[in-house]
Amino acid sequence: MSAENASVNFSELVNKNKQTLARLQESSRLLLHRRDGEDLVLTTAARAEQDQTVVSAATRMLTAMARREPGSMELLLDILPDAFPWVRFLPESDLHAFAVELIDTMRAADSIGNSAAVAQLLVAWQHTAEVYSDPELLAALTKDHDEDYGPAADPRGAA
């Protein structure tokens, strides 16, 4: 196991906390496996702040470049398939919409220090690309349904 990928069971942190926490001196993060829930990542506050600083700097540089430099949107559109190979399945207009939405969402997420919206955006656009990659699925989802199926039932069960 490399120092970057240190992992232990959560119970080790509970039962041998000093020894387990000492592992953070040799690794930037410690993956804590839990039986009853999602795994956790333990790091120092300083390391988390460093990581946020790096992500924020990269976001600010990318958004500034995309907004200011002539031809930068074309460059971004050219490099997106290297970063996200699945964008090759998107129609050109959707590729452009993805690029604009990605830059805008990254900038907004950075302003509040929460990248969840960026992760959600990437997953949503990847699913869109998956639909475009499958002709049968695309046909089923884009076919015109002539009939109206009436009002949707209230999901809470109320009338």
Side-chain angles (χ1 to χ4, degrees):
M1 168 175 26
S2 73
E4 282 297 312
N5 297 322
S7 64
V8 297
N9 291 326
F10 185 79
S11 59
E12 204 171 318
L13 175 65
V14 173
N15 296 325
K16 301 175 187 175
N17 56 31
K18 286 183 182 179
Q19 297 93 326
T20 304
L21 291 175
R23 294 186 68 177
L24 281 174
Q25 293 176 0
E26 60 195 51
S27 177
S28 59
R29 290 175 187 79
L30 190 59
L31 180 62
L32 302 173
H33 298 289
R34 298 189 316 161
R35 282 183 282 154
D36 60 348
E38 187 176 358
D39 289 348
L40 303 174
V41 176
L42 183 65
T43 191
T44 64
R47 180 58 185 224
E49 187 175 332
Q50 288 172 350
D51 290 348
Q52 181 58 40
T53 299
V54 169
V55 169
S56 182
T59 296
R60 289 172 188 213
M61 287 188 306
L62 180 63
T63 57
M65 181 197 78
R67 293 182 184 284
R68 293 189 187 149
E69 292 298 318
S72 61
M73 184 54 78
E74 289 75 26
L75 175 62
L76 180 60
L77 292 171
D78 285 344
I79 65 171
L80 276 176
D82 292 332
F84 308 105
W86 47 261
V87 301
R88 288 177 171 83
F89 296 113
L90 294 174
E92 191 173 327
S93 62
D94 281 357
L95 179 58
H96 189 271
F98 167 63
V100 169
E101 191 174 356
L102 178 61
I103 294 297
D104 290 346
T105 304
M106 287 175 69
R107 185 169 183 256
D110 180 58
S111 74
I112 61 171
N114 186 337
S115 61
V118 177
Q120 182 179 1
L121 174 96
L122 290 170
V123 168
W125 274 104
Q126 184 174 5
H127 288 318
T128 300
E130 290 170 4
V131 169
Y132 279 109
S133 75
D134 184 338
E136 290 179 20
L137 182 58
L138 180 61
L141 292 175
T142 58
K143 122 179 175 184
D144 187 21
H145 299 279
D146 292 331
E147 57 187 282
D148 183 351
Y149 294 103
D154 189 327
R156 298 169 296 189

